Amino acid sequence: MLKTNAKGIFSYGIGAAFYMLIIIWVYPSVAKSDALDQVLKQMPANYLKAFGFDGGMPKDLSGFLAGEYYGLLFLIILMIFSVVTASQLMVRLVDRGSMAYLLSTATSRTRIAVTQATILVIGLLIITLISMLPVLIGAKWMIDGSDINVSRFIEMNIVGFFLFFVISGYSFLFSCIFNDEKRALSLSGGLSIIFFAINIVAKLSTDFEWLKNITIFSAFQPTEIAKGTVDILPVSLALGGAGIVLYVLGVLIFRKRDLPL
């Protein structure tokens, strides 16, 4: 299963890493631009807050990455991966009849579900690690006197990983519940998009700030992590616990339910 999904996993990871290299490459010229900082200060405060630039141009690479990459593109890449891969690993096999062949080999349902869940989590981890490498390695030789705060950058990725551990968890759960791939995909994708949209709306207006309490994306605050104002331990533990519960539920449901012949 790892060989089967390796190409897709590394495609996401290499794409993310390439974009990170572009950000690192343009950062020195952007950081020295007073004009850009003035433009940012003239934009609506709520709009800047939504994308992590509420304090103007960040003063270090960690802050720039938090707004430019982790505030949007990172979320989109891993959201697509989590939703699509979860459906491919479970419900697609049921929908197309391939699951019957796996079960005919005397492999238990529990083992199949746990294996597929492990592949999904490993994929998330690989994409996260590959996207980190250009910063941890490339920033040293691409930027003279690199000003990145490595510990805070790693903390951003830890919380980001656990966020998508939960999102992949409920995507995996839907994939274990339904026999129809389109239904599972629409539910997991639709829920993720709704959470993402609510998070944006909550940041754009103080009138809707209460909405952050009903979206999982509010647990990931890359700009605040880059500033060192977030304790990531309780957030990571909460997200990790929620993800484990979702994956366990998915395995238990798949083990007990009736499957179409």
Side-chain angles (χ1 to χ4, degrees):
M1 291 308 302
L2 201 54
K3 289 181 180 179
T4 301
N5 292 277
K7 183 177 179 180
I9 291 171
F10 281 98
S11 295
Y12 281 98
I14 293 172
F18 182 73
Y19 187 79
M20 291 287 265
L21 283 173
I22 294 175
I23 295 176
I24 296 171
W25 180 57
V26 302
Y27 170 71
S29 58
V30 171
K32 297 175 183 178
S33 174
D34 293 330
L36 183 58
D37 194 40
Q38 292 299 319
V39 170
L40 288 175
K41 290 179 179 179
Q42 293 174 9
M43 297 181 71
N46 289 335
Y47 178 84
L48 294 176
K49 182 180 179 181
F51 296 98
F53 291 109
D54 49 313
M57 179 58 60
K59 303 304 179 184
D60 61 9
L61 182 56
S62 302
F64 186 69
L65 288 170
E68 183 67 23
Y69 177 70
Y70 288 93
L72 182 62
L73 193 63
F74 174 77
L75 303 179
I76 293 175
I77 290 174
L78 286 188
M79 183 165 58
I80 294 173
F81 172 79
S82 298
V83 170
V84 172
T85 306
S87 68
Q88 290 176 344
L89 288 170
M90 291 298 293
V91 69
R92 175 175 291 184
L93 299 180
V94 176
D95 193 12
R96 298 184 178 183
S98 303
M99 186 63 72
Y101 293 102
L102 290 177
L103 294 173
S104 67
T105 62
T107 304
S108 69
R109 291 191 183 191
T110 300
R111 184 176 180 183
I112 290 173
V114 170
T115 298
Q116 304 299 71
T118 303
I119 297 300
L120 184 53
V121 176
I122 288 175
L124 285 174
L125 184 59
I126 289 174
I127 294 171
T128 303
L129 292 175
I130 290 177
S131 66
M132 290 172 63
L133 290 178
V135 179
L136 296 177
I137 299 175
K140 296 293 184 181
W141 57 270
M142 291 181 70
I143 303 175
D144 293 332
S146 175
D147 55 358
I148 186 170
N149 188 313
V150 175
S151 61
R152 291 178 185 172
F153 174 71
I154 293 175
E155 287 178 354
M156 272 191 284
N157 285 275
I158 290 173
V159 179
F161 169 78
F162 280 115
L163 169 68
F164 286 97
F165 182 56
V166 176
I167 292 173
S168 65
Y170 66 66
S171 299
F172 180 78
L173 176 61
F174 289 140
S175 192
C176 290
I177 292 175
F178 297 104
N179 298 326
D180 184 4
E181 182 182 0
K182 290 182 179 179
R183 180 177 297 180
L185 194 60
S186 62
L187 279 173
S188 54
L191 184 60
S192 299
I193 292 171
I194 289 171
F195 279 152
F196 183 75
I198 289 174
N199 186 55
I200 296 295
V201 172
K203 291 179 178 179
L204 286 175
S205 174
T206 54
D207 294 334
F208 297 104
E209 194 170 359
W210 59 273
L211 288 172
K212 68 182 182 181
N213 298 317
I214 60 174
T215 172
I216 190 174
F217 284 97
S218 62
F220 183 52
Q221 305 175 46
T223 303
E224 285 70 20
I225 294 174
K227 294 176 182 177
T229 59
V230 175
D231 182 3
I232 72 163
L233 182 58
V235 176
S236 300
L237 289 176
L239 291 173
I244 290 172
V245 170
L246 290 167
Y247 273 105
V248 171
L249 282 174
V251 173
L252 292 176
I253 290 172
F254 179 75
R255 187 176 66 179
K256 298 293 185 181
R257 76 185 186 88
D258 294 330
L259 293 174
L261 297 177

